[in-house]
Every structure is written in C-alpha cells, then in structure tokens.
C-alpha cells in the first residue's frame, strides 16, 4: 500500500512520513492549521507556504519547511506534492505517488469557492482518502450571496433593536470567510481575541479583510453600538459575553441544517455554512478524482462508505483522531452526535 493507517496517523512507508499525525513522529506532512490536523511535538514539518504562518502562530518555534502548491518533493522513494483543498487559506490535499500508483489524502476540504481560500483542485488518483463530516444527503449549504444577505439583514435588524449581533465562528477560516461577507456600513465589527489573533496573521500574509476591533478589558463598548461581534462558539454564554449587553446570538455551522440544533443551543439565528464539503460537494470531489478505491475517515463514516459501495467504489472506513466541525469549541476536536 502507498499509505498505511497506523496508531500514529496515515503513514507513507516509501517516504517514511506521516500525513497529519496525531502522535509525535519524525516527519509530518500537514494539510492545514486546525488543531486536529496540525499538532505539536513532531521533529520536522512540511506544509504549504500559505498555511505556514498560522501553523507557526499556533505551534510556536517548530522546524517547518514550506512548499508552493504543485511542487513535487522526492522523499525517499515517494513523490509528494500539495494541492488546494479549499477548506481554509493554505489548506491542502497531499498527493503521494509510489511506483506509478497515486493516493491522495484530502484532509478537510470543500469544493465551493469562498473567495478566501485557494479553490479546491481535483487531483486524479487511484485511491482517495476523504472526510465525511457532513456525509448525508440532508446537508446542503446556503449559497454565498444568499448567506451574505441573511447575515447582513440579521445584523441590521439587531442593531435597529439596540442589540449587538454575536456570531459563533471558528477562529481560523470561518471567521475570515464571514468577515468577507459582512457589510461594514451597517456598523463596527468587534472580535474576540482568539478570532482577532488569527485574522491578523492572515492580514499580515496579504489577505484583504475588513477592519475589526478586538474586545479587550479596557474596551469602551458604549463606543460601538449596533456592532457585529465574532467569537469562538466556546465563548458564547460565558462571562466574556455577558459584558456585551443586549445581544442577539447566532451560530454559523453546517449543523444548523439539523432541526432542533439551534433551539438546543439557545441561539436566535442559525446560518447554514461550513468549510467542509456538503453532500453534493463530497460526491462531486470523489467523482472528479477518478479513484476506484475510497477510504472514509471522520464524520458519517458508516453511512457514507456504504453509499460509496452502492455506487460501485471499493470503499472502507479508517479510524482517525480528526474532528470535523462542532458547535462547542473554538476549533474542531470531535464530531457531535447530532444524527
């Protein structure tokens, strides 16, 4: 096998390298900067040039080599290259070729061009390793233009009622994607420190994002009436949020597609959006690889692998420690059981 599934992670014997390992290893190939894929403790890291600033911000002083998309690295007896995954800025699929056989480990991905991340690039292969965070037909995402209209209308309505709109978003990826959709003419945009820190890293590497103001202990919130506030989901309902005064709360997540989730989260609004592929996106991506064998890692693995088998693929399930998307954490640490 070109890639093997071990207790430490997805392993390439020919290159003696691991893809997004969850145990400390000598050589780690990292698809992107979310904490379930980029972990501290490896001896050496390889990631895309665009993913590197966030990875360094989160992991500190690590031995990190970078690569542009598409450049082939000869590592041992393996040819390895990184290709756009469309998940968050700098995210990659990793193509591994050994003896003419090609495998692709996709990490996390989405096929919709969000105007922020490098657009997903189909990579032809024999075997494709896919996530299935939202691997059921119920999961379909709101189009970008409709999402922008919904977000800005909610914000304007909240401001008219004397409230701040507080939206729960991941600090990396979704926060900046939402920022690009907001209309700053409605009011100021405030951020939690976790969101602001990552946003500034991305600004520093050239991404154009609207101006924001970080909420600090000394911030005079009276100076920012009718603001939109972006914060990690874990901050909602905490003491940090209580100082914001009257608010309308919302979540931006693929889980908002499920009936009852917003009610259980006590949110006023739910916006159906994710940086993971929806049902159509998963099927489109897999078909475009031309792969005959597909391994499913995290999410609705049993249901999605069964569907793929019914479609004629040689499909299997791989147990990993990748998370997907949750409503509780600033970053994905596990898929909630919301079936």
């Amino acid at each position: 096998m070109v890639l093997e599934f071990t207790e430490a992670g997805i392993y390439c014997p020919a290159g003696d390298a691991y893809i997004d390992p969850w145990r400390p290893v000598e050589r780690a190939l990292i698809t992107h900067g979310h904490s379930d894929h980029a972990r501290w403790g490896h001896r050496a890291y390889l990631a895309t040039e665009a993913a590197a600033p966030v990875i360094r911000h989160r992991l500190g002083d690590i031995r990190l080599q970078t690569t542009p998309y598409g450049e082939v690295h000869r590592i041992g007896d393996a040819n390895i290259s990184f290709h756009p995954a469309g998940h968050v800025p700098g995210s990659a699929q990793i193509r591994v070729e050994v003896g003419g056989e090609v495998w692709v480990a996709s990490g996390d991905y989405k096929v919709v061009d969000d105007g922020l991340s490098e657009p997903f690039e189909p990579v032809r292969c024999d075997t494709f390793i896919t996530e299935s965070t939202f691997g059921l037909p119920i999961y379909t995402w709101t189009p970008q233009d409709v999402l922008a209209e919904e977000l800005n209308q909610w914000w304007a309505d909240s401001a008219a009622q004397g409230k701040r709109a507080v939206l729960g978003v991941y600090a990396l990826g979704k926060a900046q994607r939402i920022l690009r959709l907001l209309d700053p003419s409605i009011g100021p945009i405030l951020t939690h420190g976790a969101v602001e820190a990552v946003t500034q890293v991305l600004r520093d590497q050239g991404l154009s994002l609207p101006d924001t103001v970080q909420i600090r202990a000394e911030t005079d919130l009276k100076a920012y009436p009718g603001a939109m506030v972006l914060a990690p989901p874990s901050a909602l309902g905490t003491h940090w949020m209580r100082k914001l005064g009257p608010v309308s709360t919302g979540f931006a997540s693929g889980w908002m597609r499920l009936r009852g989730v917003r009610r259980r989260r006590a949110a006023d609004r739910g916006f159906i959006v994710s940086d993971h592929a929806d049902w159509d996106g998963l099927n489109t991506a897999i078909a475009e690889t031309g792969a005959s064998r597909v391994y499913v890692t995290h999410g609705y693995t049993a249901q999605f692998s069964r569907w793929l088998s019914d479609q004629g693929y040689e499909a299997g399930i791989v147990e990993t420690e990748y998370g997907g998307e949750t409503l509780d954490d600033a970053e994905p640490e596990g898929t909630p059981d919301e079936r």
Side-chain angles (χ1 to χ4, degrees):
M1 293 176 67
V2 172
L3 297 176
E4 298 177 355
F5 306 105
T6 74
E7 292 184 355
I10 300 171
Y11 178 59
C12 174
D16 191 22
Y18 290 81
I19 297 173
D20 291 348
W22 47 86
R23 302 283 187 276
V25 300
E26 287 292 303
R27 182 184 290 122
L29 313 175
I30 304 299
T31 61
H32 66 284
H34 279 142
S35 63
D36 56 332
H37 291 260
R39 306 190 186 210
W40 189 84
H42 310 310
R43 185 170 182 272
Y45 296 74
L46 177 63
T48 68
E49 293 170 340
V54 164
I55 293 173
R56 287 194 176 100
H57 166 72
R58 292 186 153 176
L59 299 184
D61 185 17
I62 58 172
R63 185 181 169 195
L64 174 59
Q65 179 184 350
T66 64
T67 178
Y69 287 115
E71 182 175 291
V72 178
H73 296 257
R74 184 70 174 179
I75 302 177
D77 293 325
N79 291 326
I80 295 173
S81 54
F82 289 62
H83 304 266
H87 176 56
V88 297
S91 63
Q93 308 168 79
I94 298 178
R95 180 187 186 273
V96 182
E97 181 178 1
V98 177
E101 185 175 353
V102 178
W103 287 43
V104 171
S106 62
D108 292 332
Y109 67 92
K110 68 174 181 296
V111 300
V112 173
D113 184 356
D114 62 11
L116 176 74
S117 309
E118 300 83 357
F120 178 87
E121 175 188 299
V123 181
R124 302 290 291 185
C125 59
D126 303 296
T127 301
F128 188 61
I129 302 173
T130 182
E131 60 152 305
S132 62
T133 304
F134 295 104
L136 290 180
I138 188 175
Y139 294 111
T140 57
W141 304 154
T142 304
Q144 287 272 107
D145 57 341
V146 176
L147 176 63
E149 183 178 349
E150 290 179 351
L151 283 164
N152 288 309
Q153 188 61 57
W154 169 60
W155 181 11
D157 290 344
S158 299
Q161 297 166 18
K163 299 179 179 180
R164 295 184 176 91
V166 183
L167 187 65
V169 290
Y170 285 170
L172 170 59
K174 196 173 294 177
Q176 296 77 34
R177 182 179 177 186
I178 294 297
L179 270 174
R180 295 282 287 265
L181 299 178
L182 295 178
D183 178 4
S185 70
I186 297 173
I189 303 172
L190 308 182
T191 57
H192 184 281
V195 171
E196 186 65 27
V198 176
T199 299
Q200 190 57 51
V201 170
L202 295 176
R203 281 198 186 101
D204 290 344
Q205 65 186 85
L207 285 175
S208 177
L209 296 165
D211 292 336
T212 55
V213 176
Q214 180 180 341
I215 299 175
R216 305 176 185 273
E218 65 273 17
T219 301
D220 180 7
L221 291 172
K222 293 179 181 178
Y224 304 100
M228 167 69 77
V229 181
L230 301 183
S234 57
L236 273 63
T238 66
H239 177 73
W240 177 88
M241 183 174 158
R242 287 194 289 272
K243 64 183 179 182
L244 297 177
V247 298
S248 177
T249 58
F251 283 94
S253 173
W255 299 113
M256 292 296 107
R257 175 61 72 186
L258 292 179
R259 198 174 296 171
V261 169
R262 191 188 76 190
R263 183 181 66 251
R264 291 197 295 275
R265 299 297 305 187
D268 299 307
R269 284 296 303 269
F271 298 94
I272 304 168
V273 56
S274 177
D275 288 326
H276 297 262
D278 63 6
W279 172 259
D280 289 338
L282 289 169
N283 283 280
T284 296
I286 291 168
E288 289 181 339
T289 68
S292 59
R293 183 190 299 116
V294 181
Y295 287 105
V296 183
T297 57
H298 52 295
Y300 291 101
T301 53
Q303 297 92 327
F304 193 57
S305 63
R306 186 162 56 246
W307 161 261
L308 291 173
S309 295
D310 290 343
Q311 306 313 302
Y313 293 96
E314 180 186 340
I317 298 172
V318 177
E319 296 297 328
T320 68
E321 294 189 11
Y322 307 139
E325 179 169 314
T326 77
L327 289 173
D328 297 311
D329 300 316
E331 294 183 7
E333 299 290 353
T335 303
D337 183 12
E338 292 286 6
R339 292 168 178 77

